[in-house]
Amino acid sequence: MSNFFQNFPIVPYLFGEERSPVPFQNISAYNHIIDQVRDDVAFYVDMFIEDGDRPDVLSYKLYGTTEYYWTFFFLNDDIRESGWPLSNLEVFARAKQHYPHRVITTKAALGQDGDISNIFLVGNRVRGVTNSQITGTVIRRNLDMGQIVINTVDNYRSEVIHGTGELIEANESTAARTYVFSDIQQYLAVHHYENSSGVQVDIDPRTQVTTGLRPVTYLDRMQQKNDQLKQMKVFKPDIVTQINAEWQKLLLQG
């Protein structure tokens, strides 16, 4: 069991609708010892977390004890705010969970302007006209990418897709039609494009011309964010014991 909270001060605390407070540790207690040394390269080294390493496991690898896992969170703001990085398998599972629908990317046909800003509105029913006859409901739009997100639980068979070039329409209206450029699972859909310098760039959603650009999917973005969390600072082994001792002493002093 971790000893991290052993010296946190005890304060009277009211739980729920209780009338009388009870003694409880003030888990919001904080001191600034780490803030004072966090940018001093004499105290830390940079490292990349191996896939699947938990905080306690990494603490044991580095320091021979699981007790110093908490220093990773106080030394790295991104981890404290976003949580511990996931394994690659966990990122994939979370992407599928967070983005469970399908994305139709549209493209103008010859002689059309391809503007979907006033058609395929949220709540509209979408139907494949020329081939699939698949139906679904628009739940979100990304006009910058010419995309509509279709609810997969609303009579939309996620294993069957609209073919490239298929004509689709909204609410069975011939005045609300466009062509499919791609139809793919949401987590694998393109979120944005980047140039060779890694800078996000705009495209013309009516033509979908992306020559020389790199597509970044929703899954890619989650993986990139997770990899950024894996790049972290850790206290040097000969420093961490001193940091822990000073932290606990300052907590006792209040």
Side-chain angles (χ1 to χ4, degrees):
M1 180 179 294
S2 172
N3 295 319
F4 174 62
F5 292 104
Q6 65 180 353
N7 291 324
F8 277 59
I10 303 296
V11 296
Y13 191 85
L14 280 173
F15 286 93
E17 298 180 356
E18 296 292 330
R19 295 183 178 181
S20 300
V22 296
F24 194 77
Q25 282 185 309
N26 178 15
I27 59 175
S28 66
Y30 186 78
N31 63 65
H32 296 282
I33 179 62
I34 291 182
D35 294 335
Q36 296 169 8
V37 301
R38 64 188 309 154
D39 295 322
D40 190 333
V41 295
F43 286 83
Y44 71 86
V45 294
D46 293 310
M47 70 168 298
F48 191 81
I49 304 174
E50 294 182 15
D51 192 38
D53 264 357
R54 301 192 313 264
D56 57 331
V57 172
L58 182 60
S59 175
Y60 190 82
K61 284 183 178 180
L62 295 174
Y63 309 125
T65 175
T66 60
E67 288 298 318
Y68 301 144
Y69 70 92
W70 60 271
T71 62
F72 306 140
F73 295 89
F74 284 93
L75 193 55
N76 299 274
D77 289 338
D78 285 349
I79 291 179
R80 185 165 55 187
E81 295 167 1
S82 301
W84 194 255
L86 305 174
S87 69
N88 291 333
L89 288 177
E90 289 170 331
V91 171
F92 183 77
R94 183 163 297 186
K96 293 184 69 174
Q97 178 184 17
H98 284 193
Y99 305 108
H101 305 294
R102 293 197 72 88
V103 172
I104 296 177
T105 301
T106 63
K107 179 181 179 181
L110 186 65
Q112 292 186 334
D113 63 10
D115 182 11
I116 63 169
S117 59
N118 295 313
I119 57 176
F120 295 98
L121 305 178
V122 172
N124 281 181
R125 299 282 295 173
V126 177
R127 181 177 69 90
V129 175
T130 50
N131 295 312
S132 66
Q133 300 294 310
I134 300 173
T135 63
T137 301
V138 179
I139 59 173
R140 194 173 300 113
R141 307 192 305 165
N142 182 354
L143 297 180
D144 290 337
M145 296 291 294
Q147 294 174 341
I148 53 177
V149 181
I150 306 295
N151 190 354
T152 57
V153 300
D154 186 20
N155 298 324
Y156 191 94
R157 302 191 303 277
S158 60
E159 75 277 5
V160 181
I161 65 172
H162 293 100
T164 299
E166 180 175 6
L167 183 66
I168 58 175
E169 66 181 15
N171 291 345
E172 299 185 359
S173 170
T174 58
R177 288 184 168 184
T178 192
Y179 283 84
V180 173
F181 179 71
S182 68
D183 179 350
I184 197 168
Q185 293 159 300
Q186 188 180 10
Y187 70 96
L188 294 176
V190 177
H191 178 273
H192 66 270
Y193 288 91
E194 296 179 355
N195 62 21
S196 58
S197 299
V199 177
Q200 183 172 335
V201 296
D202 296 329
I203 65 165
D204 184 344
R206 297 169 301 177
T207 64
Q208 295 294 336
V209 175
T210 58
T211 305
L213 301 180
R214 182 177 74 89
V216 178
T217 68
Y218 286 86
L219 175 61
D220 291 336
R221 290 180 74 241
M222 292 187 69
Q223 187 66 65
Q224 289 169 4
K225 173 62 176 177
N226 196 64
D227 286 345
Q228 289 171 3
L229 292 175
K230 289 182 177 182
Q231 186 66 49
M232 60 181 286
K233 297 177 182 178
V234 298
F235 283 121
K236 295 178 179 179
D238 58 339
I239 294 294
V240 71
T241 303
Q242 302 173 44
I243 294 294
N244 181 65
E246 188 66 17
W247 172 274
Q248 299 296 343
K249 183 180 75 172
L250 291 173
L251 284 176
L252 286 172
Q253 293 174 355

